[in-house]
């Protein structure tokens, strides 16, 4: 699995949410890529990204598993990841704080 984070420089919500995304990706050991939609409009077009912020989770074969766009929160993403990893039967180690 990997995450694609679509943002642009003028999006204050994108900037505010980014540290949370990094924290989630580190917690779940998910690599991520950041794509600025103004600098890479063709990539945004390929993924049909119409608004920012947008996070797309892809499987190992680059198939879309889940998309979060516009209004979403950290807990919603974590809930998806918990269900996904439970469903595929992957145990994971997370530092419980």
């Amino acid at each position: 699995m990997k995450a694609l984070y679509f943002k642009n420089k003028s999006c204050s919500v994108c900037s505010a949410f980014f540290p949370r995304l990094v924290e989630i990706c580190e917690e779940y050991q998910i690599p991520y890529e950041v794509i600025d939609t103004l600098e890479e409009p063709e990539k945004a077009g390929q993924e049909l990204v119409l608004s920012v912020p947008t996070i797309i989770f892809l499987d190992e074969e680059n198939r879309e598993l889940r998309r979060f766009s516009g209004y979403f929160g950290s807990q919603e993403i974590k809930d998806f990841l918990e269900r996904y990893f439970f469903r595929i039967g992957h145990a994971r180690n997370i530092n419980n704080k």
Side-chain angles (χ1 to χ4, degrees):
M1 174 187 286
K2 69 179 175 182
L4 303 178
Y5 187 62
F6 291 87
K7 65 164 194 85
N8 68 45
K9 292 175 186 167
S10 64
C11 172
S12 61
V13 175
C14 300
S15 299
F17 190 80
F18 182 66
R20 293 186 198 146
L21 173 71
V22 171
E23 181 180 297
I24 292 168
C25 288
E26 287 175 355
E27 180 178 351
Y28 289 84
Q29 301 174 357
I30 299 170
Y32 63 90
E33 179 183 349
V34 179
I35 300 105
D36 187 305
T37 59
L38 299 177
E39 294 176 5
E40 298 183 71
E42 65 286 343
K43 179 76 172 175
Q46 290 170 351
E47 298 295 341
L48 301 175
V49 172
L50 304 176
S51 64
V52 292
T54 295
I55 303 170
I56 302 174
F57 288 95
L58 303 173
D59 68 9
E60 292 75 19
E61 296 173 8
N62 287 324
R63 292 180 298 207
E64 185 172 326
L65 296 169
R66 181 74 158 83
R67 177 181 297 237
F68 296 90
S69 188
Y71 180 76
F72 54 86
S74 301
Q75 191 59 50
E76 187 178 353
I77 295 169
K78 288 181 177 186
D79 290 346
F80 157 71
L81 293 172
E82 288 293 330
R83 286 190 308 273
Y84 174 77
F85 286 118
F86 178 78
R87 187 179 50 118
I88 65 170
H90 282 207
R92 58 185 190 85
N93 291 324
I94 296 180
N95 297 331
N96 292 324
K97 296 179 183 177

